[in-house]
Amino acid sequence: MAITLADARLNTLDDIEMQVIDEFRKSSWLLDNLTFDDCVSPAGGGATLTYGYTRLVTERGAGFRKFNEEYPKEQAKRQRYTVDLGPLGGAFEVDRVLATLGPAATNETTFQMTQTIKSARAFFSDQVINGERVTTPNEEEGFDGLDVALAGSTTEMNAGSSLDWTGAALGDDRGAANDALDVLDEFLSLLDGTPAALLGNKKTIARVRSLARRAGYYDRTQDAFGQNVESYNGIALVDLGAKAGSEAPVIPVEARELDGGSVTGVSDLYAVRLGLDGFHGVSTVGGQLVRQWLPDFSTAGAVKTGEVEMGPVAVALKATKAAAVLRNIKVQ
């Protein structure tokens, strides 16, 4: 069975829980659209929270056969992967005197809850891109993000050189803009279907938006929360924002050694096809995707703890061609 956060919202009767789920959804296109395969059984006290799957890494071809001859032998290649689910979120403390001062929408409890949700949301986006599975003597922690999963794959494009998509480079040069559009379309063609989204930071999304306008492929619609969703030829343009507790973007803009020297202002652009046969989330059987615990001021003690938690969750890439990365775009 597959669920989304929108489905999870329908399964709760708790108004506060609904609000928490909405907070996760409305500021994250990825969390609002990502499908979770809720199939992992938390048996054995959580010791078996492992999701195993087979990733299609190389597809096979086809062709004509000559009479009285056999077809050439080819095999599609698969590789076995596992990922361990884990809970993510945060805790906060509130003094009982400060807890209810001011309007309910802005008091300290609401503020801390909202900020914790924001951090958990940002941390999940960070792990989707930059996550790296860590092995300890007793357990596995975290999961590999797309940066690791796509490194060296057939859908990693332009790994050794830079692409100058800055405003100064494209400017009014129709030829340069058309070349950039050709590269973008070639990049999208690496996938095994139309991607649901292009994932980047503010600067890379701004460059793609500029190209979309030049080609007449730019569009803007509103989601269920009345927020604008921009798209390139029907593919959502998603800024993953900043890392939790930081101003640094999830997908960095940095200096890299390329083209025989150091190139500054370089970043990457990711494309993902969402679906249970492509890129999706993983959760536990019958588990709640999002939970919250408000501070309990009905008992003695001046300072109480609140928590927000998502999961246990992870992500899985079922086919290498369900995601791609365009490396080394110079955006500033």
Side-chain angles (χ1 to χ4, degrees):
M1 182 179 175
I3 62 171
T4 63
L5 281 178
D7 297 327
R9 186 184 189 279
L10 297 176
N11 290 332
T12 179
L13 299 177
D14 188 311
D15 289 343
I16 294 176
E17 190 169 315
M18 287 182 183
Q19 292 173 15
V20 171
I21 292 174
D22 284 347
E23 284 296 319
F24 272 94
R25 292 177 58 202
K26 71 183 183 181
S27 296
S28 172
W29 182 96
L30 185 61
L31 277 173
D32 193 27
N33 289 271
L34 190 65
T35 299
F36 288 84
D37 189 3
D38 60 338
C39 63
V40 179
S41 176
T48 59
L49 287 176
T50 300
Y51 180 74
Y53 64 98
T54 301
R55 181 183 299 170
L56 174 63
V57 294
T58 304
E59 296 182 357
R60 58 150 298 141
F64 288 108
R65 179 182 66 83
K66 294 181 180 180
F67 291 108
N68 301 315
E69 292 185 15
E70 299 294 336
Y71 286 109
K73 304 299 187 294
E74 292 184 60
Q75 279 79 35
K77 294 182 180 180
R78 297 178 295 175
Q79 193 166 333
R80 188 70 175 170
Y81 287 86
T82 60
V83 62
D84 290 322
L85 280 66
L88 62 90
F92 58 91
E93 290 184 335
V94 179
D95 188 289
R96 63 190 176 195
V97 175
L98 301 176
T100 57
L101 292 180
T106 58
N107 65 36
E108 188 66 15
T109 301
T110 302
F111 172 73
Q112 293 299 337
M113 178 71 77
T114 302
Q115 291 300 305
T116 306
I117 294 170
K118 176 183 175 182
S119 295
R121 196 171 56 216
F123 180 76
F124 180 80
S125 295
D126 184 20
Q127 294 306 296
V128 165
I129 299 297
N130 303 309
E132 191 166 355
R133 188 173 183 176
V134 177
T135 303
T136 63
N138 298 320
E139 63 179 346
E140 300 280 350
E141 182 178 335
F143 51 82
D144 286 342
L146 291 174
D147 185 49
V148 173
L150 298 175
S153 73
T154 58
T155 55
E156 181 185 39
M157 184 174 173
N158 201 57
S161 59
S162 63
L163 291 168
D164 194 345
W165 283 9
T166 58
L170 299 181
D172 295 327
D173 187 342
R174 187 177 296 272
N178 287 337
D179 289 344
L181 282 164
D182 288 344
V183 170
L184 182 57
D185 287 338
E186 181 184 355
F187 165 60
L188 295 176
S189 72
L190 296 177
L191 281 81
D192 56 7
T194 303
L198 289 169
L199 310 178
N201 52 46
K202 287 186 183 299
K203 292 185 180 297
T204 55
I205 294 302
R207 303 320 305 153
V208 177
R209 181 191 302 119
S210 173
L211 293 174
R213 285 173 173 159
R214 294 167 191 256
Y217 285 163
Y218 178 79
D219 194 13
R220 184 170 59 183
T221 59
Q222 288 192 336
D223 62 15
F225 299 95
Q227 297 177 326
N228 290 326
V229 177
E230 298 176 304
S231 63
Y232 169 83
N233 200 20
I235 303 168
L237 303 179
V238 180
D239 170 21
L240 291 181
K243 297 184 177 184
S246 170
E247 293 299 319
V250 166
I251 302 176
V253 179
E254 57 192 0
R256 297 177 184 171
E257 291 298 319
L258 300 163
D259 306 322
S262 179
V263 180
T264 60
V266 174
S267 191
D268 300 328
L269 181 69
Y270 293 83
V272 290
R273 180 178 62 79
L274 303 183
L276 293 184
D277 63 340
F279 182 71
H280 65 87
V282 187
S283 60
T284 55
V285 175
Q288 292 176 269
L289 277 176
V290 175
R291 300 182 69 187
Q292 80 293 321
W293 293 267
L294 291 173
D296 181 8
F297 297 106
S298 63
T299 58
V303 180
K304 299 297 184 179
T305 300
E307 292 182 89
V308 175
E309 186 171 87
M310 182 178 179
V313 293
V315 295
L317 179 62
K318 288 286 182 61
T320 300
K321 286 196 171 185
V325 56
L326 180 58
R327 302 283 192 192
N328 306 320
I329 305 169
K330 183 172 175 59
V331 293
Q332 69 177 26

